[in-house]
Amino acid sequence: MASLGNSTNIFWQECPVGKLERQRLINQKGCVVWITGLSGSGKSTLACSLSRELHTKGKLSYVLDGDNLRHGLNKDLGFKAEDRAENIRRVGEVAKLFADAGLICIASLISPYRKDRDACRAMLPDKNFIEVFMNMPLELCEARDSKGLYKLARAGKINGFTGIDDPYEPPLSCEIEMQQKDGVCPTPADMAAQVVSYLEEKGYLHNQ
Ligand SMILES: Nc1ncnc2c1ncn2[C@@H]1O[C@H](COP(=O)(O)OS(=O)(=O)O)[C@@H](OP(=O)(O)O)[C@H]1O
Ligand SMILES: Nc1ncnc2c1ncn2[C@@H]1O[C@H](COP(=O)(O)OP(=O)(O)O)[C@@H](O)[C@H]1O
């Protein structure tokens, strides 16, 4: 039974085809890989590389990218804390549906607030929420500045930019952490391989 919101007189409808049957059909287990980190930390790059790697292995995945969803589902939302919270909540709900469909759902959003990410984790049954922290220094993200947004934020032309004049709360405990080693960032392929190994080890890539 799903929890009720503001609506009344609504009823949960069970469908005879369930998650276990769908998972058996595609020989994998649904879950959410939630990638969090600063703008420019490599979230989208990892999401795409991971999705490609899974596809090559014959596993179905789908990427929910914060930037992309803000063009549609979340186009009414801005970047103040309440809007970010609603953004994360909606994407969490959509990710939960994809996981229930049996897919490996890769959500890639800054998701700066711990409580918003933890609320998404709490939505997922059976620990099927795998948090990946892109722990890259602000200096690296800012040096990349692939969209020129840090430059605008430093010039005061964007207010409330994460890492500059808006907070980012790193996870206290996450399943996977990506970091530079000796000042070198792992390649996207290496990072994707690390996530794939985790999924293998935890049994998400098979249905036994
Ligand atoms: N003020 C501010 N702060 C942070 N980011 C900003 C801002 N304004 C625009 N952008 C662009 O929006 C992208 C982040 O969207 P998200 O939905 O992932 O953000 S959040 O999770 O709701 O915080 C982010 O994309 P990424 O660079 O891929 O992270 C930016 O391109
Ligand atoms: N592992 C990496 N090694 C080198 N460059 C990277 C890596 N990951 C991402 N980049 C580059 O950094 C920039 C930002 O990456 P992106 O995936 O868009 O970050 P985010 O989605 O977190 O904003 C892009 O130009 C991308 O090519």
Side-chain angles (χ1 to χ4, degrees):
M1 172 71 92
S3 61
L4 298 178
N6 293 328
S7 310
T8 52
N9 299 323
I10 55 169
F11 301 87
W12 186 259
Q13 298 294 332
E14 285 298 342
C15 174
V17 182
K19 182 179 184 187
L20 292 179
E21 282 182 90
R22 288 189 288 275
Q23 293 189 149
R24 217 172 293 134
L25 194 67
I26 54 178
N27 190 28
Q28 62 184 60
K29 293 195 190 89
C31 63
V32 175
V33 176
W34 190 280
I35 307 174
T36 174
L38 293 173
S39 177
S41 59
K43 302 181 297 295
S44 306
T45 304
L46 171 58
C48 293
S49 180
L50 175 59
S51 189
R52 170 55 63 198
E53 188 56 28
L54 289 169
H55 187 82
T56 304
K57 287 179 161 298
K59 301 297 159 192
L60 262 186
S61 66
Y62 193 80
V63 175
L64 299 175
D65 191 276
D67 245 344
N68 292 355
L69 293 171
R70 282 175 175 278
H71 284 81
L73 178 68
N74 294 330
K75 69 177 166 192
D76 56 323
L77 301 175
F79 289 92
K80 55 184 199 272
E82 308 92 272
D83 282 10
R84 292 189 200 248
E86 176 59 9
N87 184 35
I88 302 316
R89 188 194 69 80
R90 286 184 201 171
V91 179
E93 290 286 356
V94 174
K96 178 181 168 182
L97 295 177
F98 274 101
D100 187 56
L103 273 68
I104 295 157
C105 181
I106 306 164
S108 147
L109 296 96
I110 295 179
S111 41
Y113 296 107
R114 216 172 276 137
K115 73 171 172 29
D116 298 338
R117 297 191 302 267
D118 288 348
C120 291
R121 179 184 289 276
M123 282 179 204
L124 267 290
D126 309 327
K127 301 187 176 161
N128 289 341
F129 185 88
I130 299 143
E131 192 170 352
V132 180
F133 174 33
M134 304 300 288
N135 189 5
M136 300 300 158
L138 175 65
E139 299 68 42
L140 173 71
C141 302
E142 195 167 353
R144 286 175 171 167
D145 205 9
S146 50
K147 299 169 191 160
L149 297 179
Y150 281 102
K151 200 166 173 216
L152 291 176
R154 289 288 186 197
K157 292 185 178 149
I158 301 179
N159 292 323
F161 196 76
T162 308
I164 304 297
D165 57 349
D166 223 46
Y168 179 82
E169 300 172 353
L172 296 176
S173 110
C174 59
E175 282 68 18
I176 303 175
E177 184 170 342
M178 302 298 177
Q179 274 183 300
Q180 290 183 306
K181 288 190 187 76
D182 302 322
V184 179
C185 185
T187 65
D190 284 346
M191 289 196 265
Q194 191 178 331
V195 181
V196 168
S197 302
Y198 182 92
L199 295 173
E200 280 277 14
E201 189 191 314
K202 299 290 176 188
Y204 288 106
L205 304 187
H206 301 280
N207 190 45
Q208 281 65 293

